[in-house]
Amino acid sequence: MHDQLGEDQSQHVELARDIAQRFNTRYSPTFTIPRAVNPPVAARIMDLASPGDKMSKSAPSTAGVLRLLDEPDVLRRKVMRAVTDTDSVVSYDPDRKPGIIEPARHPGRLYRR
């Protein structure tokens, strides 16, 4: 099992791996040993309403946060209202244009069915 997650979550996978290995050693090979995958791109999903901040469940506003239990229409509305850049040039520049970068990093995640 490979879990794609941010660097700040790797300790949870390490704990799950340790527990699975101990259980499998003591009893029988029951659990798949998890392994964290830290991709070089899109490891951190940024807030859609405030692209300089990481998306967080404790964000003061839910406008830029995509929740697993949100209805498809709510998710679509949040993505469509995402903060983007004001000029007409689309270019990859995370420092100067963080608004356009976030949706561009995750097209497969946003539109996969």
Side-chain angles (χ1 to χ4, degrees):
M1 175 167 74
H2 304 281
D3 292 321
Q4 188 172 356
L5 45 85
E7 294 171 0
D8 59 337
Q9 298 297 312
S10 59
Q11 73 272 13
H12 300 296
V13 176
E14 290 174 18
L15 176 62
R17 184 180 59 231
D18 291 345
I19 292 170
Q21 287 174 336
R22 288 181 185 181
F23 185 95
N24 288 350
T25 301
R26 179 170 285 180
Y27 300 106
S28 67
T30 304
F31 297 109
T32 301
I33 306 301
R35 182 174 69 90
V37 176
N38 297 92
V41 176
R44 225 165 250 212
I45 299 177
M46 305 309 279
D47 192 294
L48 295 175
S50 178
D53 299 331
K54 187 176 121 178
M55 193 178 289
S56 171
K57 62 184 174 193
S58 61
S61 169
T62 60
V65 179
L66 302 176
R67 302 202 185 271
L68 290 175
L69 298 178
D70 280 346
E71 293 293 324
D73 287 339
V74 172
L75 294 171
R76 190 175 299 109
R77 195 174 325 116
K78 287 180 180 183
V79 171
M80 296 303 287
R81 291 181 178 173
V83 172
T84 57
D85 298 308
T86 56
D87 64 7
S88 60
V89 177
V90 177
S91 63
Y92 185 85
D93 188 347
D95 297 325
R96 290 183 348 161
K97 304 175 118 207
I100 196 66
I101 298 307
E102 194 55 27
R105 284 182 176 165
H106 310 286
R109 289 182 180 178
L110 293 175
Y111 303 109
R112 188 176 301 142
R113 295 182 188 223

